[in-house]
Amino acid sequence: MRIRNILYIGLCLAMMGCSGPSVPEVFTESKDLPKIYPDYTNVTIPTNIAPLTFELDEAVDEMIARYAAGDKEIVCEGKAQPQMDDWRMLTEKAKGGAMTVDVYARRADQWTHYKPFNIFVSPDSIDSYLSYRLLPLFR
């Protein structure tokens, strides 16, 4: 019985450690779009592009980004950098439409939710050998 209780507690702790980031429940609304780098607000992308990674272009203690299309979503903490499998699933869901991106930033103990923006997903894909994104390493 004692071993079973220890295993149960261990399993519960492991499951709590595996939970991913979540969107804050308490925040203030901003009327402004987030200042992100690179600026992907309202761009159109092909379905087979690599995950769009961005960060806030201002000092914050913490950032959370939520990408959503239909009933699918990805939540990233820190630099918005979705996993490839999750990104592929989301771009397929948004194909011919758009995904919505919500950005939350924490300064001290206060969360701010910026005005959401769209990333439009073209129904067409691009040649995976000829296209690339060139971004400067340092700003």
Side-chain angles (χ1 to χ4, degrees), residues 59-78:
V60 296
D61 296 328
E62 189 176 355
M63 181 190 92
I64 292 178
R66 178 183 164 271
Y67 299 82
D71 61 343
K72 305 290 185 192
E73 72 175 33
I74 303 170
V75 179
C76 302
E77 188 173 32

Side-chain angles (χ1 to χ4, degrees), residues 8 11 15 20 43 47 55 60-62 66 79 88 97 103 125-127 131-132 135 139:
Y8 178 73
L11 180 64
M15 288 173 50
V43 298
T47 56
E55 60 189 6
V60 296
D61 296 328
E62 189 176 355
R66 178 183 164 271
K79 182 184 273 190
R88 291 278 179 244
V103 176
S125 55
I126 55 173
D127 185 330
S131 297
Y132 63 94
L135 299 172
R139 305 185 262 156

Side-chain angles (χ1 to χ4, degrees), residues 1-14:
M1 181 74 163
R2 180 182 167 115
I3 293 175
R4 182 190 294 164
N5 289 343
I6 292 172
L7 289 174
Y8 178 73
I9 291 170
L11 180 64
C12 289
L13 290 173

Side-chain angles (χ1 to χ4, degrees), residues 5 8 14-15 31-32 44-45 61 64 68 71-72 78 84 89-90 114 117 121 123 127 137:
N5 289 343
Y8 178 73
M15 288 173 50
K31 294 179 182 176
D32 301 322
T44 300
I45 61 170
D61 296 328
I64 292 178
D71 61 343
K72 305 290 185 192
M84 183 65 82
M89 175 261 320
L90 199 63
Y114 291 95
F117 62 91
V121 182
D127 185 330
L137 293 176

Side-chain angles (χ1 to χ4, degrees), residues 53-121:
T53 302
F54 67 85
E55 60 189 6
L56 277 172
D57 200 13
E58 55 189 275
V60 296
D61 296 328
E62 189 176 355
M63 181 190 92
I64 292 178
R66 178 183 164 271
Y67 299 82
D71 61 343
K72 305 290 185 192
E73 72 175 33
I74 303 170
V75 179
C76 302
E77 188 173 32
K79 182 184 273 190
Q81 189 168 12
Q83 297 294 319
M84 183 65 82
D85 292 340
D86 295 336
W87 179 256
R88 291 278 179 244
M89 175 261 320
L90 199 63
T91 54
E92 278 301 315
K93 185 72 173 179
K95 194 175 193 175
M99 66 176 77
T100 303
V101 182
D102 289 281
V103 176
Y104 299 83
R106 182 179 63 80
R107 290 176 192 81
D109 291 330
Q110 180 63 49
W111 283 97
T112 301
H113 175 230
Y114 291 95
K115 182 178 175 183
F117 62 91
N118 289 321
I119 296 176
F120 300 95
V121 182

Side-chain angles (χ1 to χ4, degrees), residues 15-36:
M15 288 173 50
M16 285 182 357
C18 293
S19 64
S22 61
V23 174
E25 294 179 14
V26 178
F27 51 82
T28 59
E29 289 286 347
S30 172
K31 294 179 182 176
D32 301 322
L33 286 170
K35 293 177 182 135
I36 60 172

